[in-house]
Amino acid sequence: MREAPPVSPKLTREKNRARSRAMAEAVISSFAATLKTEARKRGGFLTLPDLDELDVSFREKTAELTDVFEMAFNDAMREQEDLKWNQIKRPAFDRLMVKRFDHMLMVKDRDGVPHGTFPRRFLPGFFLALNMLLGPEAMENFHKRSDKIMTQVMKGIIPVDWELLDQNDEMKDIIIDGQLAIAWQFNDTQKRTKWFIQLVNANLAPVHEKATQVEANWEMDHIAFIRLINSLLHDLKIAVNDAQQWKHLKRRHPDAKRDEITAILQRLS
C-alpha cells in the first residue's frame, strides 16, 4: 500500500492563517464595539481619562478573549491529532475497520479534557487482536482485496477519500466478510471477550508525555469492550437482520448460519 502523503505545508499555513485572522477579528471587533458604544455615550468624543477607563474595561474582557484563543488552539490540536492518525501507515482494510468506531476515539475539548471512550494508545492492541482473530492468511487476503478496491476507486488521487471508499459495494462486502470472521471467533463469548480485553491492555502504546491522566490511566474494561465490538460488527448486524443483505452474504458464505450469527451478536450486545 502506498504511504500517505505528508501534510501540505501550504494547507497548514492557510489554516493557521485563517485561524489567526479569526482570532484577530474577534479582538478588534470587541474593542471597536466597546469604543463606539462609549463614544456615543460621551457625545462622540473620548478623552484620555475615558481611555483609561476603557483600558480597565478591556482588561476585564481577558477571560472572554481567552476562551476565543483557547478554542482556536484546541481546534488546532484536534486537527493535528486527526492529521497524524490519517498518516498512520495502515492498509485500507485496517483503516476502514477502525472507521467503525473512530467516533469514540478520545479528542480534547475546549476544557482540555479528552472526551471519548478510547485513547489512540489502545490501537496497537486492537490491531494485534484483529490479526490474531482473523489469522495471517485471511488478513493478507483482506488487505489485498481492500487495497485493490482502493486503487480502483481512488485512481491515484491522494489523500484517500475514506468516505468514498467505504461506500463502494465491493468494499462493503469485504468489511462484512471480515466482521463475519470476527464474530465466529466469539462463539465462546465469555472466554474470547476476556482474552480480547487482556490482550489490548497488555499492548497499550506507551504514555505520551503530553497525555492527560485519563489517557495515561485508561484500560479496557467489559463495558468499553461491548461498545467497541458492537460498533465494529455494526454492518454485520444490519446484514443479518435484512433478508436481502443476508441472501447476498449467504452467496459468499454458504456455510453461514443466520441463527448462529444472530445468537453470537446477541451475546455480545
Side-chain angles (χ1 to χ4, degrees):
M1 180 181 174
R2 294 168 298 178
E3 295 183 4
V7 179
S8 166
K10 180 181 179 182
L11 179 59
T12 300
R13 287 195 301 271
E14 289 176 351
K15 289 187 175 182
N16 287 340
R17 180 75 174 176
R19 189 176 288 114
S20 298
R21 182 179 180 84
M23 292 165 64
E25 288 178 348
V27 174
I28 293 171
S29 176
S30 176
F31 286 176
T34 302
L35 287 170
K36 289 178 182 177
T37 299
E38 294 304 318
R40 290 191 188 98
K41 290 179 181 177
R42 294 166 171 80
F45 298 97
L46 291 175
T47 64
L48 286 176
D50 291 335
L51 293 176
D52 288 336
E53 290 181 18
L54 287 173
D55 179 58
V56 174
S57 176
F58 288 150
R59 291 180 186 279
E60 291 175 351
K61 291 183 176 292
T62 299
E64 179 182 335
L65 294 173
T66 297
D67 287 342
V68 174
F69 294 159
E70 185 179 15
M71 185 186 303
F73 287 133
N74 284 336
D75 285 345
M77 289 173 63
R78 284 196 295 271
E79 184 178 283
Q80 289 302 313
E81 287 180 356
D82 289 341
L83 289 173
K84 287 177 183 178
W85 163 238
N86 285 334
Q87 292 192 85
I88 292 177
K89 301 169 187 176
R90 303 296 315 188
F93 177 77
D94 293 16
R95 292 294 302 272
L96 289 176
M97 294 301 278
V98 171
K99 189 174 181 295
R100 268 62 209 159
F101 60 82
D102 65 2
H103 60 285
M104 292 191 288
L105 292 175
M106 289 183 182
V107 294
K108 291 180 182 177
D109 210 336
R110 289 182 58 187
D111 56 10
V113 177
H115 296 270
T117 304
F118 307 102
R120 281 172 170 76
R121 59 188 295 257
F122 111 101
L123 289 173
F126 167 77
F127 285 127
L128 178 59
L130 187 65
N131 275 272
M132 294 179 72
L133 286 170
L134 297 178
E137 292 185 8
M139 183 61 84
E140 182 180 4
N141 179 261
F142 284 128
H143 286 168
K144 286 182 177 179
R145 290 169 64 193
S146 300
D147 290 348
K148 180 181 178 181
I149 300 301
M150 183 182 71
T151 299
Q152 294 173 351
V153 172
M154 297 310 303
K155 303 183 188 304
I157 298 174
I158 52 178
V160 176
D161 185 336
W162 297 107
E163 286 293 338
L164 178 64
L165 189 60
D166 202 20
Q167 294 169 11
N168 179 271
D169 288 338
E170 291 182 73
M171 186 61 78
K172 289 179 181 179
D173 289 346
I174 294 171
I175 294 300
I176 291 179
D177 289 348
Q179 293 177 5
L180 178 63
I182 292 170
W184 266 326
Q185 292 298 318
F186 282 89
N187 191 36
D188 188 339
T189 308
Q190 186 175 358
K191 181 178 179 180
R192 183 61 78 179
T193 297
K194 182 178 179 181
W195 169 88
F196 189 100
I197 293 173
Q198 290 177 340
L199 185 64
V200 166
N201 288 337
N203 290 276
L204 295 172
V207 178
H208 191 274
E209 60 181 8
K210 294 183 179 180
T212 64
Q213 188 173 4
V214 173
E215 295 168 308
N217 295 334
W218 186 92
E219 284 192 349
M220 176 171 280
D221 57 18
H222 188 75
I223 294 175
F225 167 78
I226 292 299
R227 293 191 66 185
L228 173 70
I229 200 69
N230 278 274
S231 293
L232 185 64
L233 303 181
H234 181 69
D235 308 82
L236 178 62
K237 284 185 175 183
I238 294 175
V240 168
N241 290 304
D242 183 276
Q244 194 63 32
Q245 289 194 44
W246 176 257
K247 184 178 179 181
H248 183 62
L249 184 153
K250 187 75 172 176
R251 282 198 292 267
R252 301 194 308 278
H253 303 279
D255 295 334
K257 293 183 173 61
R258 194 173 187 179
D259 56 342
E260 289 183 2
I261 300 302
T262 299
I264 292 172
L265 293 174
Q266 288 177 344
R267 292 198 296 271
L268 289 170
S269 298

